[in-house]
Amino acid sequence: MWDIIAVDISGRHRIKGGYYMVCAAAALTVSADHIEKVKQVKILPFWLKKAPGLLDVVQLIEDTANQLSFEGTIVAEKGDMYNQPRWVPESMFSGAFKYQESLAERRAIELAHHISLSARNLLIKELDIEA
């Protein structure tokens, strides 16, 4: 078993003149094909007036992951990093980074996706920033 931080960002599309995104970071212990333990989850909303670039995405993920009191390799989908080769985002993060490889890592990212999407939908409704 090993520790990871699964991340996902929801909302990288234009809404009311900007981009309202929510990043979810989940600190987990995983085995090859299962999430064994959820240790902590954090979300961070973020507003940009321009379309987010790779550096914006990396900064949002780092800011969210830094709120966790657990260490682990940050694991993300390749599409979240604009399909860049692994060495590109890896060189931008201050800690360990990788793309998903195992079934457990895929499940962990799906969990982070459900958290980020649900949190974004709730915040958009509560803050009345719907399109």
Side-chain angles (χ1 to χ4, degrees):
M1 290 191 282
W2 61 96
D3 293 331
I4 65 168
I5 297 172
V7 297
D8 184 76
I9 298 173
S10 290
R12 288 197 283 179
H13 51 277
R14 195 166 186 79
I15 181 171
K16 282 204 171 180
Y19 297 82
Y20 187 67
M21 301 173 289
V22 174
C23 181
L28 310 159
T29 299
V30 297
S31 60
D33 60 354
H34 286 85
I35 296 172
E36 300 294 336
K37 181 185 251 184
V38 177
K39 296 178 177 182
Q40 191 177 13
V41 173
K42 292 289 183 178
I43 62 165
L44 185 65
F46 192 69
W47 179 265
L48 277 179
K49 290 192 181 251
K50 62 177 179 61
L54 183 58
L55 188 56
D56 299 314
V57 169
V58 169
Q59 188 63 56
L60 178 54
I61 290 171
E62 283 242 313
D63 289 349
T64 309
N66 286 340
Q67 292 182 4
L68 297 168
S69 53
F70 293 95
E71 299 287 321
T73 300
I74 292 175
V75 180
E77 288 181 318
K78 192 170 186 178
D80 282 346
M81 299 296 144
Y82 299 99
N83 295 310
Q84 293 292 319
R86 187 177 91 183
W87 67 267
V88 175
E90 191 174 53
S91 68
M92 300 170 88
F93 281 98
S94 60
F97 170 84
K98 67 183 251 183
Y99 290 132
Q100 67 187 29
E101 295 172 354
S102 70
L103 180 56
E105 290 167 349
R106 173 72 227 150
R107 289 178 172 164
I109 290 172
E110 287 175 359
L111 173 67
H113 171 72
H114 289 295
I115 294 166
S116 68
L117 182 61
S118 298
R120 182 177 183 271
N121 289 341
L122 177 65
L123 289 169
I124 283 175
K125 182 178 178 183
E126 292 300 314
L127 299 173
D128 195 31
I129 57 174
E130 295 180 89

